[in-house]
Amino acid sequence: EVKSDSRSEDSLSPPPLFHAKDFLGVKESKDPNKRVHRTLTVSEVDAGAIIGREGARITSIRQEADVSIVVEDFVEGSQGRLVKLWGTKASVVKALKMINKFIEK
């Protein structure tokens, strides 16, 4: 299960939790160039699927979706690893689609 918090860079309130798939059907904002930030919580296995062998998948996500993406190290006592994405709303949605495709395999 992938959880995400939704936050634009100018947001001050704490974001609600969502499943990554909730963002896939989201309508584009009036400004498709608005920069957004998403944080997903994924399992260790899913983090490996996102990174891929020698970083091949995470590199393809960065290049194809034109996003910044970081998979953080596993934190002791947490439920998983954090995946942080930054980019335009359209690029982040594209990256989330790619991530869900990799996780489903």
Side-chain angles (χ1 to χ4, degrees), residues 47-78:
I50 293 165
I51 295 168
R53 179 166 289 177
E54 297 181 5
R57 285 185 173 167
I58 198 167
T59 298
S60 73
I61 293 169
R62 283 185 185 117
Q63 292 172 348
E64 291 178 38
D66 192 27
V67 295
S68 297
I69 180 171
V70 174
V71 178
E72 294 189 350
D73 291 335
F74 188 78
V75 178
E76 187 80 27
S78 73

Side-chain angles (χ1 to χ4, degrees), residues 2 7-8 11-12 14 20 22 25-26 30 38-40 45 49-50 55 66 68 76 81 86-87 93 95 103:
V2 177
R7 178 180 333 172
S8 64
S11 175
L12 297 176
D22 293 339
V26 98
K30 292 178 184 175
R38 299 285 184 262
T39 301
L40 313 174
V45 172
I50 293 165
D66 192 27
S68 297
E76 187 80 27
R81 292 175 68 174
W86 298 265
V93 168
I103 289 174

Side-chain angles (χ1 to χ4, degrees), residues 39-50:
T39 301
L40 313 174
T41 302
V42 299
S43 71
E44 188 71 25
V45 172
D46 288 347
I50 293 165

Side-chain angles (χ1 to χ4, degrees), residues 16-37:
L17 289 176
F18 297 97
H19 293 287
K21 63 186 173 201
D22 293 339
F23 291 105
L24 300 181
V26 98
K27 293 181 181 176
E28 293 303 312
S29 69
K30 292 178 184 175
D31 181 7
N33 296 318
K34 181 178 179 177
R35 307 260 323 151
V36 295
H37 171 252

